């Protein structure tokens, strides 16, 4: 029953039919992967795509955890003998963990509180009396509840105990907590202030030394920056609501929720004090912690989303192709590390040259590079973009001038993560006798040939395309990034005869052990000739074969279909097509004119419907096609090698390295990326920079401003924008239709008194 409810809820969120979600959940529970379901089970799920399936998978986990926690809470309250039908209904209707825990709060086992001690001292009747009848005089009533044995020796002690009882009772009302959260979320200000004496130490947080921002509007990058400043002891953060003087509007909300008509009756002043205590002592800090936690979670989710999108763009960057490549890992004193890999990525030669200070062995270095280029017929030279990158780039230009026979195309690539890979266990296993620095050059060469195949060997967090990646939940980040890598690898497909263990490990249905077993089988028996051979691999059974076979390619094998994305289970469909057309596989593959005449409905059956047959025909047209774009390179401007070489109005070509919510960072060849603010990306209004650019794009930019001491470069892609002038804001879209901003529901306020004034202030804010 609970599963049925969850599936219906997810269906509503995805705007899908419940049966679609039900089938997807069944497949996931049976061990199917998202790439497999999205690609090969379209009929079963009604065509849910990989993005919808990832959301479904995430929500399924959350809602199942919520359901499990709900049952624990229901049992706990039932065992206490306090579970009423109304409370059970509220718990079953709770749609979030926060709401569930709010409802559980009064029944949750807790340490002995002052309120509980006051109840034990017999003060609950006093608290109920004053709350129920404010015409009673607190001081006169309190003396009737003295209890010397319990330490209640005077009226003040009795009233204090009654105050604690009510304060704890009020603070455990789920509906009140929800009202306060909602009000604060929409009306509180997030205030950052520098810690006294930390101004110089925290100069990088200068923008937030005196910063106020509406809580619900604070963008993720600023939230994470402020939280980092707080964690480093530079900033103090607080939530501010209402005026600094007088009662908080939240006190008015509490009084109104409790239906306290505070006027001038004998107990009203005391009750007003209880409300004030409830807010100041019990709830204000709790709410501040919760809401800053909420905005932190929201900012982390956004940062992880940004990281994931940038990682996908980087992994799906155009491969230069399987050509002999020389990788250069630049260095000054330690020399430039050189590695040559063949068309399959195998290391065939390596060296270290010292063209720069202090040795300045320029002639010898050029001679070494020339000999390696000619010996191995090098077609591509991949230069890491770290220290001495531009000097190394110029060295290669000199190589081409002095040794015309050394013909190759040079490209500067990001070396982010190369050092992490070179020191990893994986690199040690691959090159046990190779120096760590040479391993880095190998990685730089291979990532030009095939970025995806090489970057999967590196922890995604080390690739350098994140936004405050070290400030977010690391387990959540790792799960999201692993999903991105899995989706990218399976979208491209993997050559089972050349892929590394790291790459195979990311294929649907394969584990680290199975990936190692595939490589071991390949090493012992030679290249795979057909997909059915995979079933001979140790521990690779029918289920794993079902999940992985369609994503593994065998080029030049015994069956041409094994080099395509057509799954072996679908080969009978292809055989029916061949029989009807009286063609062979070889004659049909790539025969667009013939394939365009086919009607998918002619080849469907009980197992394979129109979506699958359509995919099969499309794959036969372009078997094993690579979804990645065509390879292109940027050309850095000669003579512009360091940040001090930049001047305003200079127009340059660069590569987008990172896209954030506030703009895009561009590598223009000066060892420091410049920022194109979102307002300078294009003349039209854009809400998300990814509408214009993505990581890996080649763009033309103009320099607007250079701050050498702070290493900040301001760029624009609007080439008519002038340096030193206020940016011309892109035109924002006009609102159309009858849509109006949502307003908070109207509430009636208390009639008079401080609480009435406080609530009036809160209500006024809500109406703005």
């Amino acid at each position: 029953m609970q599963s049925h409810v969850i599936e219906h809820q997810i269906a509503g969120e995805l705007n899908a039919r419940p049966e679609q979600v039900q089938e997807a959940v069944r497949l996931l529970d049976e061990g199917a992967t998202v790439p497999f379901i999205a690609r090969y089970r379209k009929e079963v799920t009604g065509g849910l795509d990989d993005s919808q399936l990832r959301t479904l998978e995430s929500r399924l986990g959350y809602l199942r955890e919520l359901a499990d926690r709900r049952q624990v809470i229901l049992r706990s309250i039932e065992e206490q003998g306090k579970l009423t039908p109304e409370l059970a209904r509220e718990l079953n209707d709770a749609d979030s963990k926060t709401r569930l825990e709010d409802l559980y709060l009064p029944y949750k086992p807790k340490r002995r509180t002052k309120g509980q001690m006051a109840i034990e001292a017999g003060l609950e009747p006093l608290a109920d009396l004053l709350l129920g009848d404010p015409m009673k005089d607190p001081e006169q009533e309190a003396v009737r509840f003295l209890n010397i044995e319990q330490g209640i020796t005077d009226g003040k002690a009795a009233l204090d105990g009654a105050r604690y009882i009510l304060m704890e009772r009020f603070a455990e009302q789920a509906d009140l907590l929800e009202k306060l959260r909602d009000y604060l979320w929409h009306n509180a200000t997030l205030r950052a202030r520098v810690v006294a004496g930390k101004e110089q130490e925290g100069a990088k947080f200068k923008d937030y030394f005196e910063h106020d921002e509406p809580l619900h509007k604070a963008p993720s990058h600023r939230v994470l920056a402020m939280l980092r400043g707080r964690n480093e002891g530079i900033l103090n953060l607080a939530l501010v609501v209402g005026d600094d003087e007088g009662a908080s509007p939240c006190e008015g909300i509490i009084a109104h929720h409790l239906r306290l008509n505070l006027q001038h009756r004998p107990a009203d002043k005391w009750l007003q004090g209880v409300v004030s205590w409830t807010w100041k002592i019990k709830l204000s800090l709790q709410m501040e912690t919760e809401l800053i936690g909420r905005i932190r979670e929201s900012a982390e989710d956004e940062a992880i989303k940004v990281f994931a999108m940038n990682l996908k763009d980087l992994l799906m960057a155009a491969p230069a192709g399987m050509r002999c490549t020389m990788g250069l890992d630049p260095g000054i004193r330690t020399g430039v590390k050189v590695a040559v890999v063949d068309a399959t990525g195998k290391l065939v030669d390596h060296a270290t040259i010292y063209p720069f200070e202090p040795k300045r062995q320029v002639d010898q270095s050029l001679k070494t590079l020339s000999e390696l280029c000619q010996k191995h017929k090098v077609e591509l030279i991949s230069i890491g973009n770290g220290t001495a990158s531009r000097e190394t780039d110029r060295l290669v230009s000199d190589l081409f001038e002095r040794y015309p026979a050394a013909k190759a195309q040079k490209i500067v690539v990001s070396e982010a993560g190369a050092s992490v890979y070179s020191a990893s266990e994986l690199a040690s296993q691959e090159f046990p006798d190779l120096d760590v620095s040479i391993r880095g050059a190998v990685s730089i060469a291979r990532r030009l040939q095939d970025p995806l195949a090489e970057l999967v060997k590196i922890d995604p967090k080390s690739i350098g395309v994140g936004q405050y990646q070290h400030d977010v939940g690391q387990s959540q980040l790792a799960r999201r990034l692993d999903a991105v890598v899995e989706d990218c690898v399976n979208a491209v497909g993997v050559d089972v005869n050349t892929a590394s263990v790291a790459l195979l490990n990311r294929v649907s249905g394969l584990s680290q052990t199975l990936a190692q077993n595939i490589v071991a089988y390949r090493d012992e028996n030679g290249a795979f000739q057909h997909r059915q051979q995979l079933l001979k691999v140790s521990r690779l059974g029918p289920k794993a074969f079902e999940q992985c076979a369609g994503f593994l390619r065998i080029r030049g094998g015994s069956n041409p279909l094994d080099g395509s994305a057509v799954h072996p289970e679908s080969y009978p469909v292809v055989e029916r097509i061949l029989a009807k057309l009286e063609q062979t596989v070889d004659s049909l593959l790539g025969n667009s004119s013939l394939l365009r005449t086919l009607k998918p409905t002619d080849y469907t059956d009980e197992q394979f419907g129109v979506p699958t047959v359509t995919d099969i025909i499309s794959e036969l047209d372009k078997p094993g096609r690579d979804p990645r774009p065509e390879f292109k390179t940027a050309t850095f401007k000669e003579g512009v090698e360091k940040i001090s070489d930049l001047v305003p109005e200079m127009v340059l070509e660069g590569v987008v390295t990172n896209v954030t919510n506030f703009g895009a960072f561009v590598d223009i060849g000066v060892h420091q990326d410049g920022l194109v603010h979102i307002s300078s990306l294009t003349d039209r209004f854009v809400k998300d920079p990814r509408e214009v650019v993505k990581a890996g794009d080649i763009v033309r930019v103009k320099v607007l401003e250079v701050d050498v001491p702070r290493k900040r470069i301001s760029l624009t892609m609007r080439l008519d924008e002038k340096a030193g002038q206020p940016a011309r804001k892109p035109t924002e879209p006009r609102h159309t239709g009858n849509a109006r901003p949502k307003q908070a529901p109207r509430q009636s306020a208390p009639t008079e008194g401080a609480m009435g004034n406080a609530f009036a202030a809160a209500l006024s804010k809500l109406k703005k």
Side-chain angles (χ1 to χ4, degrees), residues 502-702:
L503 187 58
L504 289 167
N505 185 31
R506 299 290 190 166
V507 172
S508 168
L510 297 184
S511 62
Q512 177 79 9
T513 299
L514 288 177
Q516 291 172 338
N517 291 350
I518 288 174
V519 173
Y521 182 91
R522 188 174 73 197
D523 291 343
E524 183 176 345
N525 300 282
F528 287 89
Q529 295 302 309
H530 53 83
R531 280 171 167 165
Q532 292 300 320
Q533 272 184 277
L534 290 165
L535 290 168
K536 296 182 180 179
V537 173
S538 175
R539 302 177 67 177
L540 200 158
K543 183 65 177 181
F545 179 82
E546 176 195 62
Q547 296 293 308
C548 74
F551 303 106
L552 295 175
R553 310 278 189 266
I554 298 176
R555 322 244 183 231
S558 57
N559 187 341
L561 292 177
D562 289 346
S564 73
V566 178
H567 197 285
E569 68 184 10
S570 302
Y571 287 2
V573 177
V574 180
E575 290 168 3
R576 289 203 298 273
I577 294 173
L578 294 174
K580 186 170 183 178
L581 296 177
E582 297 182 349
Q583 296 281 329
T584 64
V585 174
D586 288 325
S587 65
L588 186 61
L589 289 176
N591 191 338
S592 300
S593 58
L594 181 56
L595 289 166
R596 276 197 293 266
T597 66
L598 301 183
K599 294 181 180 179
T601 51
D602 292 342
Y603 304 98
T604 58
D605 57 23
E606 292 182 359
Q607 184 178 359
F608 304 108
V610 170
T612 294
V613 177
T614 301
D615 283 347
I616 291 171
I617 294 172
S618 177
E619 186 63 23
L620 292 174
D621 188 18
K622 296 180 179 178
R625 64 191 181 283
D626 194 322
R628 292 174 291 182
E630 182 184 352
F631 179 70
K632 296 179 182 178
T633 63
T635 303
F636 293 142
K637 189 168 184 175
E638 294 292 338
V640 180
E641 301 174 358
K642 52 188 182 298
I643 192 170
S644 58
D645 293 334
L646 297 173
V647 294
E649 294 293 318
M650 184 178 282
V651 177
L652 305 165
E653 192 168 77
V655 181
V656 177
T657 58
N658 199 354
V659 182
T660 70
N661 288 340
F662 53 87
F665 288 93
V666 179
D667 179 5
I668 50 176
V670 295
H671 309 303
Q672 179 65 46
D673 291 352
L675 172 65
V676 180
H677 189 266
I678 186 172
S679 62
S680 293
L681 287 171
T682 180
D683 284 327
R684 63 184 175 84
F685 174 80
V686 290
K687 187 176 181 180
D688 184 349
R690 286 163 202 80
E691 296 175 30
V692 183
V693 292
K694 65 179 184 297
D697 281 355
I698 298 167
V699 295
R700 279 170 55 79
V701 294
K702 178 190 284 188

Side-chain angles (χ1 to χ4, degrees), residues 156-215:
K156 180 180 182 303
L159 289 173
D160 283 349
R163 181 182 290 115
Y164 281 118
I165 291 170
L166 292 182
M167 182 173 70
E168 291 178 12
R169 187 187 298 174
F170 297 164
E172 291 179 346
Q173 294 196 21
D175 290 341
L176 173 58
L177 296 178
E178 191 171 328
K179 284 182 183 177
L180 289 170
R181 268 193 214 98
D182 184 67
Y183 176 77
L184 288 169
W185 179 253
H186 290 96
N187 296 280
T189 296
L190 182 61
R191 174 168 292 176
R193 295 292 184 268
V194 65
V195 175
K198 294 284 189 175
E199 290 81 2
Q200 285 190 326
E201 181 185 340
K204 63 184 177 180
F205 297 106
K206 185 178 179 180
D207 293 343
Y208 306 103
F209 281 1
E210 194 166 339
H211 182 79
D212 292 332
E213 185 152 19
L215 178 67

Side-chain angles (χ1 to χ4, degrees), residues 28 32-39 49-50 53-54 57 486-487:
L28 288 169
T33 67
V34 166
F36 175 79
I37 298 171
R39 182 69 176 81
D49 62 29
D50 54 356
L53 288 166
R54 289 291 180 197
E57 188 178 39
E486 182 183 32
D487 288 343

Side-chain angles (χ1 to χ4, degrees), residues 468-520:
Y468 293 95
Q469 65 211 53
H470 301 295
D471 298 282
V472 305
Q474 296 302 294
S475 60
Q476 183 184 0
L477 175 65
R479 283 196 302 273
R480 182 68 176 271
L481 298 185
D482 283 345
V484 170
V485 176
E486 182 183 32
D487 288 343
C488 290
V489 168
N490 289 286
V492 172
V494 172
D495 187 331
V496 72
N497 285 322
T498 60
S500 65
V501 170
L503 187 58
L504 289 167
N505 185 31
R506 299 290 190 166
V507 172
S508 168
L510 297 184
S511 62
Q512 177 79 9
T513 299
L514 288 177
Q516 291 172 338
N517 291 350
I518 288 174
V519 173

Side-chain angles (χ1 to χ4, degrees), residues 127-134:
D128 291 337
L129 177 67
L130 296 176
L131 178 64
D133 186 3

